[in-house]
Amino acid sequence: MPIRIAESVLAGAESGAAEIDGWLDALRSRRTMQVRQVGLDELDGWSTDQDTGVIRHDSGKFFTIEGLEVHVPGAPVPRWSQPIISQPEVGILGFLVKQFDGVLHCLIQGKTEPGNYHGLQICPTVQATRSNYTMVHGGKAVPYLEYFQDAPPHRVIADVRQSEQGAWFRRKRNRNMIVEVTGEVQLLDGFRWVTLGQLHRLLHAEDLVNMDARTVLSCMPFAGPGLAGALPAGRDEFHDALLASCSDDRGSLYSVGDILSWVTEARSHTDIFTREVPLKHLPGWRKTDGRISHESGRYFDIMGVAVRSGTREVGSWAQPLIAPVGTGLVAFLVARIHGVLHALVHTRAEPGYVDVVELAPTVQCTPGNYTVLPPAARPRFIDAVLDAPPERIHFDTILSEEGGRFYHARNRYMIVETDPDAAFDHPDFRWMTLHQMVGLLRHSHYLNVQARSLVACLHSVTGVRPAADRAGRP
Amino acid sequence: MPIRIAESVLAGAESGAAEIDGWLDALRSRRTMQVRQVGLDELDGWSTDQDTGVIRHDSGKFFTIEGLEVHVPGAPVPRWSQPIISQPEVGILGFLVKQFDGVLHCLIQGKTEPGNYHGLQICPTVQATRSNYTMVHGGKAVPYLEYFQDAPPHRVIADVRQSEQGAWFRRKRNRNMIVEVTGEVQLLDGFRWVTLGQLHRLLHAEDLVNMDARTVLSCMPFAGPGLAGALPAGRDEFHDALLASCSDDRGSLYSVGDILSWVTEARSHTDIFTREVPLKHLPGWRKTDGRISHESGRYFDIMGVAVRSGTREVGSWAQPLIAPVGTGLVAFLVARIHGVLHALVHTRAEPGYVDVVELAPTVQCTPGNYTVLPPAARPRFIDAVLDAPPERIHFDTILSEEGGRFYHARNRYMIVETDPDAAFDHPDFRWMTLHQMVGLLRHSHYLNVQARSLVACLHSVTGVRPAADRAGRP
C-alpha cells in the first residue's frame, strides 16, 4: 500500500490541472445555492426551548445548540461559558479509492455547503451524518454510501472515528473511512476520480479542499517501508527530511512509547470540567437580532440560514450555524532533527473532547481573540510562526472548516521550518515524526482535526514541485 | 525487552515457592484488618444527600455512589437503573521492576483491603487514587510513588490509562505503569522482589494476585521478536500455539486493520445512553437495613464497612463498597488457527465505559443473574465454556476484583480450548492473537479489565509446567 500511495502522489500532479479546473468551473456555474441569513427564531423546522434556550430540530435528530460551562483550574482563563453544538451521532466521511491504469485514484465530490466561503468545495465521496443517511430529512439517498456501510467485500484501508473541533462541538466524532473497490463503479454527476497528486495540488488552493476531505486524507497509511524510497529525493534538505519522516527506520527523537507515556501523563493530570447549562441567559452571551453573540463581539456567533439548492438530498432547509469572528491560524513548526523532519505537537485540552486532551498543532488560535484575553493566554511560539522568513514557509494556505456547521470558518494553515533549539523545550510540546503521527491516526482521539489537516498538508508537500508552484488557486 | 521478559518468566517459577509462601504467611499473621459491616447512614466521614440520595465523602474527594439510568435500544434488557461508583480521578497502578543477577524482578506488595475475600492479597508496588496520593485523608505518604510521578530518568516500560468495571464504575480510569529502575531501591516492610515466573505461579492461586496487579501485568510488552523463541517450545501443541501467538511473524486470522475497523464499526453503531438520576427512589432498588439492594435480590448491594488497620496510611476509616451477589464467570475460548492460538474476543457495551464498547472475554457474566433475566440475555457461548472436558481447560482459578471498592467480588477465570468452527462466527465476536491484544494494550479503552486479567493469565501459561501443578493455592 505505501508504494501505491507514493505512485498516486506522483501521478498527475503536474497534469490534468486545466481539465480539473474546468470541471470545477462547470460545477460552480450549475451548483448555485441560495443562502439567506435569518433569525434563530425563524428557522423552519427548528425551535428554541422556552425554558433552557436549547435550539433543536423538530425531529429530535441532526444536532442541538446547547450551553456549556467550562472550568479549567490553573489555566489563564479558568472559567467560561459558551454555546456548543451537540451532535452525539457518528457520521461517515469516506473516500472511495480505485486503481485506474495501475494508479490509485480517489473519488472526489464537488459540493456546496451553506457556510462555505467560496461556494463549491471538494469533499470526500461520502460525507453524511447518521440522521442524513438514515434519511430523517425525508430526502434522497446518499450516493455511494453502500460501499461504506457494507464495506466487506471491499478492502478497508482506513476506518477510525476521529474528533472534530472541541471548541465548537461537544463529543463529536465522525467515522473516517477509506475503502478500495476493484469492480465497476458508476460515476455520478458531480463526482470525479483524481490521483493523490492531483488532490495535493488542489489542497494548495484557498478554501477548496474541505475539512472532511482533509481529515480522511490524513488517515491514509502514508508511511511505512518503501514509501519514502518511491518518492523522488535529492531536491533539497527539507524535502529529504520530510521523506525520511515517513519511514520508521530513520529514527525519531522520542520513541512511540515515550510519546504515549507523555499523552497519558497529560490526560491523567489535566483537569477540564464541563457542565451543561441553559443556553438562555448564558453569562457573557446575548441574543440580539436573531443571533447569539459574545458581549465582547469576539469568538463566534450562532446565526441562522435559510437555504435553497437544486442538487441536494433536500431542496430547501433552514439551520443554525456557528459563525466565527476572524480568521484563525493553524501552524506546525517543523525542524530537521538528525536529518528527519519532526513537527512540534502540543497537548491541547478543549471542552468538547471525549478524552481530555488531543495532540494539536504547535499554534492553533484566532489571533483577534487575544485583544480581549489576558496576556498569559497568548499562544506560545506564535511569533516563531509569524516572523518566519518566506523561504522557511513550506505551506501557507487559507482553508475552510466544515461548511455544514460553520459559516465562513477559515484558518490560515502553515508549515514553518525552524531550528530544533532549546527554546521549544516545554512539557506540553514534543517533536514527532510524520510516521509517528500517521501511526497514531489508526486510533481515535490522538490527533485533533486541525493537526490532521496539517498532516494532509505535509503529505501534499512530499510530491516534488518547485516552491513557486505551490501558491495560488489552481 | 521481550527476551528479558521471557527470561524472567522462566526464572524461579519452580523455585523460591516455599520462601514466598512463608513470607505471605508471616505478613498474614501481622496484617490483621478488622472490617465491620455498618449501615450506609452510619459511615464516619460520609454523608447521604437529602435530595438525591448520592453518597459522598465529606472532603468531596475519593468517590461517590450515584444513580444511573441506562438505555440500550434493541438489547434483551433495553432499560434499567442502577447505583454506580463515580470516581473521575485517574489513580496510579504501578509495578517497579529491576534487574537482579541479570533477571527482571517485579516489586510486589502484600496488602489487605476491606473487601478482600481471603484477607491479604498481592498488589502492584503502587496502587493509589489521586485523593490517596495527594493525601486528602491526611495520612502517610504512599511508598515508592515518586518513581511513578517523576518517572524520568527511570525507564517507562508501560504507561497507559485503562478502564475498570464498566458495570460498577462510571468512566473510571487508572494509569497502569511499569517503570524500570537501575539504582538502589530501599526494600520496605511488606514488599518483595519476585520474577515473572514466580508471579505467574502465584496467579494460579485463588484470590491471591489482585485485580490491580493483573491489569498492570497485562500491559507488559509481552510480545515481539525473540520472546517466543526464548521460551521453551515442544511441550504440546497448545503450548506451541500459545508461544506462536506472542509473535506477529506467525500471522493471525484477521489483520490489525481488520480488528480496528471492527471496533470502529461497533462503536459507531452501538447506542448506549446513560443519564444521572437520583439514587434515592431508584426504580427497582430499595434501601433496607443500611444497604441498597435490588428488589430481585440479584446483581449487587451497596453496603458500608468500618475498618481498623495498623499498617495503612490511615489507621481507621469507613466507606461504602459494592457487594456483588454470586460468583462471576470470565472466560476466553481459545483455538489453534494455523498453529497460532487465538482468543475469541467480544465487543461489549457497559454503561460506565468512556467509549461505548470495549473488547471483552468470550463470556463475562454472573450466571446467577440469569434466573431473573429474559432468556435472550443468556450469554452466548457459555455452554462451550462450562461443558468443556478437563483436558481442554488451561486455566481455571477464582480471582478477586479490587477489594478497595468491592466486597467479596470474585470471578472464576477460565481459558478453555475449543475448535475454531463456524459456530463461533458472530458479528460481535472475533478471533485475535495474544500479540494483537498486547499491541492494543498500549492504548486506552480497547481491552476491558476482565479481558486484561485473562491476558495476564494467558501470559502465565507460557512458562512450561505440567498441568497438575497449575491448580491449588501455592
Side-chain angles (χ1 to χ4, degrees), chain B residues 99-103 105:
Chain B
Q99 201 128 319
F100 292 94
D101 297 329
V103 178
H105 283 66

Side-chain angles (χ1 to χ4, degrees), chain B residues 258-377:
Chain B
D258 291 337
I259 299 287
L260 293 177
S261 178
W262 172 62
V263 173
T264 298
E265 168 74 27
R267 287 181 167 166
S268 300
H269 287 138
T270 306
D271 286 323
I272 176 162
F273 303 104
T274 61
R275 195 166 67 93
E276 280 171 53
V277 292
L279 183 58
K280 202 172 172 178
H281 311 307
L282 197 63
W285 297 79
R286 55 189 170 204
K287 189 167 172 181
T288 34
D289 302 331
R291 296 168 82 103
I292 299 171
S293 310
H294 193 258
E295 58 193 15
S296 68
R298 301 298 325 174
Y299 312 115
F300 58 82
D301 289 3
I302 305 290
M303 60 177 282
V305 291
V307 186
R308 293 191 69 84
S309 161
T311 52
R312 290 288 290 268
E313 294 89 356
V314 178
S316 69
W317 74 92
Q319 67 170 93
L321 289 169
I322 280 188
V325 177
T327 299
L329 175 65
V330 173
F332 263 147
L333 284 175
V334 296
R336 282 176 267 148
I337 301 175
H338 306 304
V340 178
L341 200 72
H342 286 66
L344 191 61
V345 172
H346 176 213
T347 48
R348 182 182 174 97
E350 294 188 3
Y353 288 155
V354 170
D355 204 1
V356 195
V357 305
E358 297 195 8
L359 300 179
T362 320
V363 175
Q364 173 190 323
C365 69
T366 302
N369 290 344
Y370 297 94
T371 55
V372 296
L373 287 171

Side-chain angles (χ1 to χ4, degrees), chain A residues 249-307:
Chain A
D249 56 4
R250 289 296 301 274
S252 52
L253 188 59
Y254 298 98
S255 70
V256 172
D258 292 336
I259 299 287
L260 294 177
S261 178
W262 171 63
V263 173
T264 298
E265 167 75 28
R267 287 181 167 166
S268 299
H269 287 140
T270 305
D271 286 322
I272 177 161
F273 303 105
T274 60
R275 196 165 68 92
E276 280 171 51
V277 292
L279 183 58
K280 202 173 171 178
H281 311 308
L282 197 64
W285 296 80
R286 56 189 171 204
K287 188 167 174 183
T288 35
D289 302 331
R291 296 167 82 102
I292 299 171
S293 312
H294 193 258
E295 58 194 15
S296 68
R298 300 298 325 175
Y299 312 117
F300 59 81
D301 290 2
I302 305 290
M303 60 177 281
V305 291
V307 186

Side-chain angles (χ1 to χ4, degrees), chain A residues 237-238 241 253 331-345 362-363 380-395 414-425 429-432 458:
Chain A
E237 288 187 349
F238 169 82
L253 188 59
F332 262 148
L333 283 174
V334 295
R336 282 177 265 148
I337 300 175
H338 305 305
V340 178
L341 200 72
H342 286 65
L344 190 61
V345 172
T362 321
V363 174
R380 209 172 287 270
F381 308 135
I382 188 171
D383 296 332
V385 169
L386 294 178
D387 299 345
E391 70 275 12
R392 304 203 97 184
I393 300 174
H394 296 278
F395 189 97
M414 298 181 77
I415 295 168
V416 174
E417 197 177 359
T418 187
D419 299 314
D421 61 43
F424 302 112
D425 288 351
F429 291 81
R430 281 276 158 102
W431 294 105
M432 283 177 73
L458 270 166

Side-chain angles (χ1 to χ4, degrees), chain B residues 66-351:
Chain B
E66 302 178 352
L68 194 73
E69 188 182 83
V70 186
H71 179 206
V72 189
V77 183
R79 286 179 192 277
W80 72 90
S81 299
Q82 65 165 87
I84 199 158
I85 301 176
S86 172
Q87 185 174 344
E89 301 173 346
V90 177
I92 292 177
L93 309 177
F95 263 124
L96 209 57
V97 301
K98 184 170 149 65
Q99 201 128 319
F100 292 94
D101 297 329
V103 178
L104 210 59
H105 283 66
C106 305
L107 188 58
I108 61 170
Q109 182 185 175
K111 193 172 177 178
T112 308
E113 294 284 0
N116 283 5
Y117 183 72
H118 264 326
L120 189 98
Q121 293 188 4
I122 288 171
C123 310
T125 319
V126 163
Q127 162 180 318
T129 62
R130 195 155 145 193
S131 295
N132 210 210
Y133 67 69
T134 54
M135 291 182 275
V136 171
H137 53 46
K140 287 180 268 181
V142 176
Y144 302 110
L145 183 67
E146 63 276 17
Y147 291 98
F148 299 92
Q149 284 197 291
D150 291 305
H154 312 299
R155 182 172 174 207
V156 176
I157 292 173
D159 185 3
V160 59
R161 290 162 319 135
Q162 296 289 6
S163 70
E164 297 188 359
Q165 285 79 358
W168 298 337
F169 279 121
R170 186 153 197 225
R171 300 197 186 132
K172 167 86 177 288
R173 272 90 64 89
N174 268 323
R175 188 172 176 182
N176 287 233
M177 297 182 80
I178 302 174
V179 171
E180 183 175 8
V181 280
T182 48
E184 192 66 34
V185 177
Q186 197 194 351
L187 189 63
L188 300 173
D189 182 45
F191 291 83
R192 185 184 179 95
W193 293 102
V194 296
T195 65
L196 281 171
Q198 289 167 333
L199 199 42
H200 283 167
R201 186 185 63 88
L202 297 167
L203 192 56
H204 290 78
E206 279 196 2
D207 302 298
L208 186 57
V209 174
N210 86 344
M211 177 186 104
D212 300 355
R214 300 193 305 267
T215 168
V216 182
L217 277 176
S218 77
C219 298
M220 269 283 171
F222 207 99
L227 183 130
L231 290 165
R235 182 182 158 224
D236 57 37
E237 287 187 348
F238 169 81
H239 190 259
D240 287 354
L242 173 61
L243 297 187
S245 191
C246 296
S247 299
D248 62 0
D249 57 2
R250 290 295 301 275
S252 52
L253 188 58
Y254 297 98
S255 70
V256 172
D258 291 337
I259 299 287
L260 293 177
S261 178
W262 172 62
V263 173
T264 298
E265 168 74 27
R267 287 181 167 166
S268 300
H269 287 138
T270 306
D271 286 323
I272 176 162
F273 303 104
T274 61
R275 195 166 67 93
E276 280 171 53
V277 292
L279 183 58
K280 202 172 172 178
H281 311 307
L282 197 63
W285 297 79
R286 55 189 170 204
K287 189 167 172 181
T288 34
D289 302 331
R291 296 168 82 103
I292 299 171
S293 310
H294 193 258
E295 58 193 15
S296 68
R298 301 298 325 174
Y299 312 115
F300 58 82
D301 289 3
I302 305 290
M303 60 177 282
V305 291
V307 186
R308 293 191 69 84
S309 161
T311 52
R312 290 288 290 268
E313 294 89 356
V314 178
S316 69
W317 74 92
Q319 67 170 93
L321 289 169
I322 280 188
V325 177
T327 299
L329 175 65
V330 173
F332 263 147
L333 284 175
V334 296
R336 282 176 267 148
I337 301 175
H338 306 304
V340 178
L341 200 72
H342 286 66
L344 191 61
V345 172
H346 176 213
T347 48
R348 182 182 174 97
E350 294 188 3

